[in-house]
């Protein structure tokens, strides 16, 4: 996972958390839901990148 991918995922996660908090404060269910969804999507992308990295590492282990 490249640094830029990590940074983008983290920024999305932080933005989602902020939206969710604003939704909590303003009692806005839609914003709260959008924030939670945004965080979940960022975490899923990050998990996918971790799986790809693990696959590359496993492949490198067997080719050495």
């Amino acid at each position: 996972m490249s640094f830029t991918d990590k940074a983008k995922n983290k920024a999305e996660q932080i933005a989602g958390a902020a939206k969710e908090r604003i939704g909590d404060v303003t009692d806005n269910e839609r914003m709260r839901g959008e924030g939670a969804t945004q965080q979940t999507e960022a975490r899923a992308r990050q998990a996918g990148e971790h799986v790809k990295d693990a696959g590359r590492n496993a492949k490198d282990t067997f080719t050495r």
Side-chain angles (χ1 to χ4, degrees):
M1 176 189 285
S2 72
F3 175 75
T4 55
D5 290 336
K6 287 181 183 179
K8 285 179 185 178
N9 287 336
K10 189 52 99 170
E12 279 292 313
Q13 202 171 352
I14 291 170
K19 270 188 185 178
E20 191 172 11
R21 295 259 192 308
I22 291 169
D24 283 340
V25 170
T26 61
D27 201 29
N28 185 335
E29 287 292 324
R30 182 177 175 193
M31 186 171 280
R32 190 180 305 152
E34 286 176 5
T37 300
Q38 195 171 7
Q39 286 182 76
T40 302
E41 290 172 352
R43 286 184 187 128
R45 278 192 302 276
Q46 189 173 13
E49 292 294 327
H50 285 299
V51 169
K52 283 197 282 188
D53 287 345
R56 283 188 205 112
N57 291 341
K59 182 183 130 201
D60 291 344
T61 300
F62 288 113
T63 57
R64 289 184 186 170

